[in-house]
């Protein structure tokens, strides 16, 4: 078997998605390993859980840098030093410049709490409820320079219930995030995911679940 794909994870906060990726990577035979965790927020709980699991984890506080490019240069240097081949944005709440995104072509993956292309940006659940949508969900996608844009790998769909609040809905969507992100990582690390004409193509058998949507 080939050696597991070295992955860098960028976070800003609690780290539920990071924990799900860590759990997956700890499974015997999982095709990826987390080589480094970086948080722009030094107080992120995610940094603590990574360190406790023995994963190299560092804060690079964006406030310590004069501008976005200088901050990103520091992040980039640390990721390259750790020799990562894929970067997962797991609740990373900084926008990345075109320069940074283009320097990791199809090697940057994000989780966003909506069924993209609907509800890019913030307050996704509140907006989905206000619009009377039948479904909310999450998307794991390759990152492009435009915010919350890029070829979709997998999506997790959740029915919006009568009387749903953004909080209640976000809890149910997060459950799907924690399943979808490890699945996307596994498929990528197995070398089964390619991007063709800005659409994701996945080879081989895929899990069939009524809540799971695959590709664009
Ligand atoms: C997750 O719900 C993720 O989808 C969202 O932040 C949360 C992070 O939680 N990401 C974004 O909104 C990015 N646009 P976590 O730190 O507990 O994984």
């Amino acid at each position: 078997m080939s050696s597991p794909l070295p992955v860098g994870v960028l976070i800003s906060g609690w780290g539920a998605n990071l924990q799900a990726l860590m759990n997956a990577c700890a499974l015997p035979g999982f095709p990826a390993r987390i080589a480094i965790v970086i948080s722009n927020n030094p107080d992120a709980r995610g940094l603590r859980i990574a360190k406790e699991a023995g994963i190299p984890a560092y804060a690079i506080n964006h406030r310590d840098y004069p501008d976005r490019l200088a901050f990103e240069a520091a992040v980039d240097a640390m990721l390259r030093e750790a020799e990562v081949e894929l970067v997962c944005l797991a609740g990373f709440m900084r926008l990345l410049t075109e320069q940074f995104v283009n320097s990791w072509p199809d090697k940057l993956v994000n989780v966003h709490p909506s069924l993209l292309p609907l509800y890019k940006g913030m307050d996704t659940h509140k907006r989905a409820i206000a619009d009377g949508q039948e479904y909310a969900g999450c998307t794991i996608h390759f990152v492009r320079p435009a915010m919350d844009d890029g070829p979709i790998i997998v999506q997790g769909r959740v029915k919006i219930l009568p009387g749903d609040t953004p909080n209640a809905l976000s809890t149910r969507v997060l459950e799907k995030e924690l399943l979808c992100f490890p699945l996307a990582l596994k498929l990528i690390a197995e070398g089964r995911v390619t991007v063709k004409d800005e659409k994701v193509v996945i080879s081989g058998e895929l899990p069939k679940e009524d809540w799971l949507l695959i590709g664009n």
Side-chain angles (χ1 to χ4, degrees):
M1 208 181 68
S2 53
S3 53
L5 184 78
V7 174
V9 183
L10 303 189
I11 60 164
S12 297
W14 185 255
N17 278 281
L18 167 65
Q19 181 74 66
L21 296 176
M22 285 166 46
N23 293 349
C25 288
L27 295 172
F30 195 81
R33 68 178 173 88
I34 300 179
I36 189 168
V37 172
I38 301 172
S39 172
N40 66 300
N41 166 15
D43 300 324
R45 168 187 172 270
L47 275 180
R48 227 170 47 233
I49 62 174
K51 282 182 191 155
E52 279 165 16
I55 297 170
Y58 305 93
I60 300 183
N61 190 340
H62 60 279
R63 295 177 203 279
D64 294 341
Y65 294 84
D67 54 38
R68 224 173 255 279
L69 283 175
F71 163 68
E72 288 179 354
V75 172
D76 190 76
M78 207 173 253
L79 292 169
R80 308 261 177 208
E81 170 76 25
E83 300 187 335
V84 312
E85 292 175 30
L86 185 80
V87 180
C88 291
L89 308 181
F92 182 67
M93 303 309 272
R94 303 291 300 164
L95 289 177
L96 293 166
T97 63
E98 181 165 6
Q99 183 168 330
F100 183 92
V101 170
N102 289 341
S103 70
W104 292 91
D106 295 341
K107 302 262 178 262
L108 263 183
V109 180
N110 182 44
V111 54
H112 181 72
S114 80
L115 294 173
L116 290 174
L118 294 176
Y119 307 115
K120 298 176 178 186
M122 306 296 283
D123 295 327
T124 54
H125 304 311
K126 188 174 160 196
R127 287 150 65 205
I129 292 170
D131 287 350
Q133 295 284 355
E134 190 179 356
Y135 292 102
C138 64
T139 302
I140 315 295
H141 65 99
F142 287 111
V143 176
R144 293 294 179 261
M147 183 185 66
D148 299 327
D149 187 36
I152 290 169
I153 307 162
V154 293
Q155 294 183 306
R157 196 170 65 162
V158 163
K159 205 162 173 58
I160 298 180
L161 304 174
D164 240 340
T165 61
N167 254 343
L169 185 54
S170 78
T171 302
R172 300 204 309 285
V173 170
L174 183 64
E175 282 171 18
K176 297 292 182 261
E177 295 181 29
L178 306 186
L179 298 173
C180 285
F181 214 163
L183 171 63
L185 175 58
K186 179 168 184 283
L187 294 170
I188 293 168
E190 286 172 344
R192 294 171 58 190
V193 179
T194 46
V195 179
K196 205 165 175 246
D197 299 329
E198 284 301 88
K199 297 223 180 301
V200 162
V201 180
I202 304 177
S203 63
E205 277 289 297
L206 290 163
K208 284 196 178 49
E209 306 280 355
D210 56 0
W211 54 266
L212 180 65
L213 314 170
I214 309 274
N216 295 68

